[in-house]
Amino acid sequence: MLILDPMESARKVLETLIESCLAKDGEQADVVNHAPEDVFRLPLPRDTAAAFITINSVTDVEAARQFARLYETTPFVVISDNGDYAVEAFRLNARHYIIRPVGEVGIREAVSRCRYYVVRRRKRSGDTRPRTCG
Amino acid sequence: MKIVVFSRDVGGEEAKELAALLREFVDNAEILICAFDEVFLNRAPEGVNAAFVCVDSMRALEGARKLVRLRVPMVFISGSPDYAMEGIRLNVRHYIIRPVERADVQTALERLGIFAEEEPE
């Protein structure tokens, strides 16, 4: 799992929440976090199963667009303080959109939608190897 | 393949143009234009593979909620972004803001799994 958020403290909180949420469901998540600008200059983990991208500004939208361009098949979820970027999330083909505060219900729904997307894509490509999204 | 355009103006230009575009993209598809009343009166066509829903009122949104219960994959069409969050909640595949362009319809069909890109639910 990958988290892109401009605030380090928010990244840490989200990381803990995702890990604990999946642990409760008996799953182990390897969660890494980065600042949004890293998507322009660093190779992000290629084996990312899903990403949580915070969008609260035009700069954040640019980072999300870059992520969507580079990691076309990786499902991602938008997190925001409000619903202002919902249409942009549709344009970018985000799997879900969570308005803060982020809770376990939101994380579970997001992971479920990402997992479904991955399964659907793999089914289409004829790849039936088991793979988790969490 | 059955695709339904839900609009409050079933005889309107928008619904007709959208239906024509859909026919261009999807060979042998049955494209229907329906009013929301059909949904509320439980007279919605059966075996619908996808719905393009013009959402510009709470009534339209209620109709969309009912379609979710019928497990019909949907695309929203609206004149504003006001219904985008509800679209996210209802897990609609795409959200088109008017005017509806050809590319929007193609993207929507891809996301519905009808036009090459993805498998339908």
Side-chain angles (χ1 to χ4, degrees):
Chain A
M1 292 282 188
L2 171 70
I3 296 168
L4 294 178
D5 190 298
M7 289 177 62
E8 191 179 355
S9 57
R11 295 200 296 267
K12 289 289 177 195
V13 168
L14 191 55
E15 187 176 323
T16 306
L17 181 62
I18 293 170
E19 282 173 346
S20 77
C21 194
L22 289 173
K24 280 182 190 172
D25 295 339
E27 296 184 74
Q28 195 178 357
D30 180 12
V31 186
V32 293
N33 70 70
H34 284 275
E37 58 267 28
D38 288 348
V39 77
F40 293 101
R41 56 192 177 88
L42 293 176
L44 299 174
R46 273 279 165 193
D47 59 350
T48 300
F52 289 81
I53 304 177
T54 295
I55 298 182
N56 280 316
S57 68
V58 176
T59 311
D60 296 337
V61 171
E62 286 302 323
R65 277 190 196 138
Q66 177 74 353
F67 179 88
R69 265 196 299 268
L70 293 177
Y71 307 95
E72 198 183 355
T73 58
T74 305
F76 69 95
V77 173
V78 171
I79 295 176
S80 182
D81 291 345
N82 53 57
D84 292 355
Y85 299 94
V87 172
E88 191 58 38
F90 273 109
R91 286 194 191 109
L92 296 172
N93 203 12
R95 294 291 107 198
H96 195 30
Y97 190 107
I98 304 172
I99 295 180
R100 286 202 158 91
V102 184
E104 286 193 4
V105 173
I107 295 291
R108 283 207 173 85
E109 176 66 20
V111 170
S112 166
R113 290 188 187 193
C114 289
R115 182 177 281 129
Y116 182 78
Y117 174 77
V118 170
V119 168
R120 214 162 36 134
R121 283 197 71 91
R122 289 167 59 81
K123 192 175 155 192
R124 183 179 65 85
S125 67
D127 184 351
T128 53
R129 284 173 300 163
R131 182 184 175 189
T132 58
C133 178
Chain B
M1 174 67 62
K2 193 183 286 182
I3 302 174
V4 181
V5 176
F6 283 99
S7 171
R8 66 178 168 187
D9 185 12
V10 291
E13 283 303 308
E14 182 185 65
K16 284 181 187 168
E17 283 171 16
L18 179 55
L21 262 179
L22 290 168
R23 282 190 192 98
E24 269 184 49
F25 278 112
V26 192
D27 290 338
N28 303 319
E30 185 181 356
I31 313 291
L32 306 170
I33 301 174
C34 287
F36 286 107
D37 288 345
E38 306 298 318
V39 183
F40 292 117
L41 297 170
N42 294 317
R43 293 194 314 225
E46 289 184 1
V48 176
N49 298 87
F52 284 71
V53 183
C54 302
V55 281
D56 282 310
S57 65
M58 286 311 291
R59 184 168 172 77
L61 214 46
E62 286 299 324
R65 288 186 187 129
K66 189 144 187 179
L67 287 172
V68 170
R69 290 196 286 277
L70 297 173
R71 296 183 169 275
V72 177
M74 281 183 292
V75 169
F76 274 9
I77 296 168
S78 179
S80 77
D82 295 353
Y83 301 96
M85 272 316 297
E86 192 58 27
I88 300 266
R89 283 185 202 104
L90 297 179
N91 204 10
V92 309
R93 301 304 175 80
H94 195 32
Y95 190 97
I96 300 172
I97 293 190
R98 292 188 180 99
V100 179
E101 305 283 352
R102 192 183 171 81
D104 296 323
V105 175
Q106 182 173 347
T107 301
L109 289 170
E110 285 170 0
R111 292 184 182 179
L112 286 163
I114 292 170
F115 190 71
E117 178 62 19
E118 291 180 16
E119 287 290 317
E121 283 196 54

